[in-house]
Amino acid sequence: MFITLGYIFIWLYQSWYEKTQKMKYFSLVQRCASAKESLVFRNLQKVVPSLSESCHFSPLVEHALRGWTEEMLIEDHAKQVVRIHPKQKVDLQRWTSFLKSQSWTPEMTANSGKLYILLETVHPDDENAYMVSAGNIPKRKRVKVDDYGIPLAWRSGSPFGVVVLCSPDQFATLGKAFVEGCLFMEDVLEIQEMLSVEVVSQPAHLLRFDSSTDYIISSGSDTPCKTNSGFPFPSREGSLRKSSLHKVEERTEVPFVVDDDEGEGSKVEDKEDEEELFAVNEVKEMITQNNLDKCQNEDEVEDEEEEEEEEISLRDMVSEVLITDDSGPQKTANHTQKSKGRTANLVVKPPNVLIYCGKKDSARLFLKAKAVFEQCLSTDSYAIYHLKHDQVHSTPWIENTALLIICSDKLYDATDSEFLEYFQKGGNILSFGSPLDGFFIEKEEVETAPAAIMSLTYKSWKEVTTICTRFAFRPETVKPSVEMRTVGFNQKTKKPAIVIVKSRTGGTAILSQVLLEKDPSEMAINADIFSLLKQANHVRFEILRDMMSSLGFRCEAVKASALTPAVLLCCGEGTRNAFLSSIQHRLKNGLLKSQKITLNFLDSKRDLPETITPDILPILTRAVDSRVANFDFAAYKDNLGTRVLGQGVLYSDVMQSTMPVLDGLLFSVPEDIGLIAIAGQQTSGKGRGENTWLSPRGCALFTLHLRIPLKSKLGQRLAFIQHITSAAVVEAVTSMPGYQDICLRLKWPNDIYYNNVIKLGGVIVNSTIMHGVVHAVIGCGFNVSNSNPTICINDIIKQYNQENGTSLPLCSTEQLIALAVTALERLVDLFQTEGVDAFLKIYYKYWLHSGAQIQLEREGNLEVEVTGLDEHGYLLVQAASGRCLSVQPDSNSFDMMKNLIKFKER
C-alpha cells in the first residue's frame, strides 16, 4: 500500500512540476509577445556564436537597429533564455515556402495572436551519436517541431533556417522542450537557437502544394492538431482569370527543399527504423498555390465558407492520366472517341468529366451526382471531378474537359458565359434543368410544383416514371445558331423534355428537363411514388448511359479486378540472395511494415492468403513460385542493359499502386540492387496531390528507386530527375533502330506526348535524404498498348507504318520498361559526368516549347518567348528587350504552361 501511495505521490509531483515549468515558459512568451520583444532560446555549446557573444545578429535576421538590449532570463542545462528588444525581423524575400504553406502571406496572420518562430539549425557533427542520444530520450518526452507549429519557409546555408507559425502556448511547449534537450526536427537537424521574430515579404514558391495533411493551430491547446481537410490557410482574395500571373520575389538559393513530412517507414523499432523516421523528406514537382475567385454575392458567403471546408479542390484532383492529357494546351474541338474502331482524327481532350452543382451546398450535391455517373461511365477510362463555382473563372478547365455535367437550377456570376465558351469550342454538355437551356431554346411551364413526377418516353424506352422540372421545351423557339433534335418527351403532354443541340463548331449539348441525376429517395412524397420511381430506377441508368454513349463516351461496365500477390524476380540468383539477406533483420514473421503498406514475404504459394487486401501485399520469393503468366520476364531481361537499376523486380498483376511498395526498403537494400516495382494494372493510381492516375492494362506502370549523392551535380539540381525520367521514356522508343522518327515529345516539366496534342504518360518523384544521399522514388506510367479511350504507343507505330510503308514491330510493356530504365541510368550518368548542358542537348531534341510565345499578365502583359530550361530545371523565357526570366506554373492542375509565375530575373 505504501509503495502504491509513493508512486501516486511521485506521479502527482511530476505532473505539478511539468505544469509549473510550462506556466513559467508560457508567462515569458506572453510577456515578450505583448512587449514586442524577441524571446530567444539558445544552445551555449554550439560553435556558431550567440548574439551576446558576438555582438552581432544572426545572418538569418535583418541587422538590428542601434540601441538594442538583451536581458538574461534563464540559464539551465547549457541553455539560455534571453529577451531582446526590439523584436528581431526576418525578411522572407530570399526564403522558400514549404509545400503545405504556399498560400500563406503575412497579412493572413496579422492580429491573430500567432507567433513567428525562427529556428537556426545545423547538421550534428556526429549523426550517429545524435541519433543514439535522441533514441535514449523516452518517447513520451520527445517533442517534434512540426507537431506544434506550421513550417512556413526555409533557407539553406549555415545555419539552416526554418520559420514556423505557432500559438504562444505551443511556443512555450517548444521552449520547454528545447531547454530540457527534448526538442527534435525530423531532418536530422540540431536546433541551436530558437527565437520569436517579425516577418516581412513572402517566400518564393518553387514547388507545388502536394500534401494530404494540413495543420491547424489552436491557441488554447499545445496538443498537435492535424486534419485531412485540404489547405492550412485560407486562399488570398481576388479574381484570377486563366491568363493571370503571380509575381514571386527574386531568390538565389538552389531550388531544393528538405520537407518536413514524416517518412513512410515502419515504426521506430530499431536504430535503422528510427533513422528512417527522422530523416524522410520529400522533394516534389514545381507548382504554386492558385488564388480562388472572391465570392460576389454577400448573401451566399456563408455557404461558400462551408464549402471550402467540405470540398476537395478540383485544382488538386485534375486527372493525371497515362493515356491522355490532363494539362496540355488542346486545340482540337471535338471529342470524337467511339466505342469501336479508330480513325486518324485522334482524340485530344483529356478523359475528365466535370460536374457543376451550383454555389450552395455543392459539395454534398456533387457526391450524390458522382455516385450516379460512376455507374454510367467506364471507370477505367474517365475521371470524375467537382467543378467548384469559384473555379469556373479561375482555372483553364475548358481545354481539358471531355464532358461538363450541370446539375444546378441556378447559375451565378457569369458562369453561363464560361459554359457557352466551352460549348462553342466543341465541348460536350449534359444539362439537367439548368438555366443554360435558355441560350438555345425557350421553355414553357407545364407543372406548378418545382419538381414533379412524369411519364417519360425516350427513344425506345416508353412510359418511364421519372422526376422532372415544371418546364418543357418549345421547339419552335430554337436559336438559329444550333441544330436541335427531340429525343424524349412527356408522355402525357407530348411536350419535349429532352433535346440535343449541336453547334456549327462541333459542340453538343443534351438538355434535359428530366432530372435523371436525382435518386428516387429525393422525391419520395409517398410510398406509392417511391415504389414507382424505384421500379423504373434501372431504366433511369439505361437512359443515362445511352445519353453518354450518344456523346461518344464508353459506358460498358468494368469489372473490378481482384488484387494479386507480387513475385520477386531478379536478374541473377546472387541478386535475389543479397536482397533477401539485406532485409532479413527487418522482418518479423515475414512482415516488413511501412506507413502505407505491409510487405509479407512468403516462401511458397501454399502460404498465400485466400484474399489479398489493400494493406498487405504478399510477395513470393522462391524462384520456382516466381513464374508470372502475365509478365514476360525474359523479354524484360533481354532489353535491360543496366549495372544497377531495375535488377530486382517486384511484380504484381493487379495492385493498388506501385508508389508505396518500395517505401520500407529504401535504406536496407544494398546499393548494387536497383529495385523496381511493376504492376500490370493499378486500381488506385495516384498522380500529383489527390489527382487520379488512370492505370488500365496495356500501360507501363512502375516505381523505381534511384540513389543520388546529395553533393553531386544532379543532387544539387533535383528538379531534373523528372526531366531525365520523361526523356528516358522517349529515348526507350526512339533509340531503337527504325523508330527514331516516331513522334514522341516532352512537355515541361514531366509529361510524355504524341506530337503536341495527346498525353501518353507522366512522371512523379518523391525524394528522401539520408546521410548525404538522396533516395528518389520515381513513379512513371505511359500507355503502350491500350487504345481506349485515346491512343497508345502501338497505335502511333501502326499509323507510322501505314504512312511510311514500314513494318516496325509493335512494342511490349516489358520491353519498353526495360529500355526506359536503361536509358534512365545512362542519362543520369551523363548528367553526373558531363553536367546539365550535355543532358539538355538530348532533352531539347524532344521537347515541345522552343519558340513558344507566352504572355505574363502580372508583368504588364509582357510577351516572352520560351528559350529553354535554366540551370535548375525551371522554364527560361526571354522578352523582346533581351530580359530573361525564370518562370514556374501557378497552382492550376489543368495546364502547367498557363498562368506562369516569374520567380527570378536573370
Side-chain angles (χ1 to χ4, degrees), residues 152-309:
L152 298 180
W154 61 272
R155 182 171 177 177
S156 61
S158 182
F160 185 93
V162 179
V163 172
V164 301
L165 179 70
C166 64
S167 67
D169 196 45
Q170 290 167 327
F171 185 31
T173 299
L174 296 175
K176 176 177 176 295
F178 178 84
V179 172
E180 295 174 352
C182 301
L183 185 62
F184 296 97
M185 298 185 70
E186 299 250 349
D187 310 312
V188 197
L189 292 171
E190 188 172 4
I191 302 171
Q192 66 174 16
E193 194 162 86
M194 179 173 66
L195 64 154
S196 57
V197 295
E198 176 185 350
V199 302
V200 294
S201 301
Q202 187 175 352
H205 310 316
L206 293 184
L207 299 176
R208 73 179 294 276
F209 170 74
D210 188 2
S211 176
S212 59
T213 305
D214 67 338
Y215 292 68
I216 295 177
I217 294 205
S218 170
S219 60
S221 170
D222 64 348
T223 57
C225 182
K226 297 184 181 182
T227 74
N228 292 315
S229 60
F231 211 76
F233 295 101
S235 299
R236 287 172 282 181
E237 294 183 347
S239 295
L240 182 66
R241 299 292 294 184
K242 293 193 288 287
S243 59
S244 63
L245 172 80
H246 298 289
K247 179 177 179 181
V248 182
E249 298 296 334
E250 179 182 349
R251 64 182 303 283
T252 57
E253 281 77 43
V254 174
F256 166 71
V257 160
V258 179
D259 194 49
D260 62 332
D261 292 341
E262 280 193 6
E264 298 180 355
S266 50
K267 295 180 180 178
V268 180
E269 296 172 343
D270 54 35
K271 179 181 174 183
E272 182 174 0
D273 290 338
E274 183 167 313
E275 291 176 350
E276 186 174 338
L277 183 63
F278 268 79
V280 174
N281 317 286
E282 295 183 352
V283 178
K284 300 198 175 180
E285 299 171 52
M286 306 168 288
I287 196 170
T288 57
Q289 171 67 18
N290 198 2
N291 290 347
L292 301 180
D293 285 342
K294 186 177 179 181
C295 179
Q296 297 179 1
N297 292 357
E298 293 294 328
D299 59 332
E300 291 169 353
V301 169
E302 183 175 348
D303 293 293
E304 285 297 284
E305 290 175 347
E306 292 175 358
E307 286 184 13
E308 284 183 9
E309 297 177 1

Side-chain angles (χ1 to χ4, degrees), residues 478-543:
V478 65
K479 300 299 188 288
S481 59
V482 296
E483 298 177 357
M484 187 212 75
R485 179 166 57 96
T486 299
V487 291
F489 59 87
N490 187 319
Q491 183 68 30
K492 178 181 177 181
T493 65
K494 306 301 181 183
K495 299 284 187 180
I498 304 175
V499 299
I500 299 178
V501 296
K502 293 187 177 182
S503 71
R504 296 187 180 94
T505 56
T508 302
I510 298 180
L511 312 176
S512 176
Q513 295 303 316
V514 185
L515 305 180
L516 296 169
E517 86 282 12
K518 291 189 178 297
D519 188 83
S521 61
E522 298 185 48
M523 275 297 291
I525 300 173
N526 55 53
D528 291 339
I529 291 178
F530 179 73
S531 179
L532 288 172
L533 290 172
K534 269 298 185 182
Q535 290 175 20
N537 203 39
H538 70 285
V539 181
R540 173 172 72 104
F541 282 96
E542 289 175 2
I543 293 174

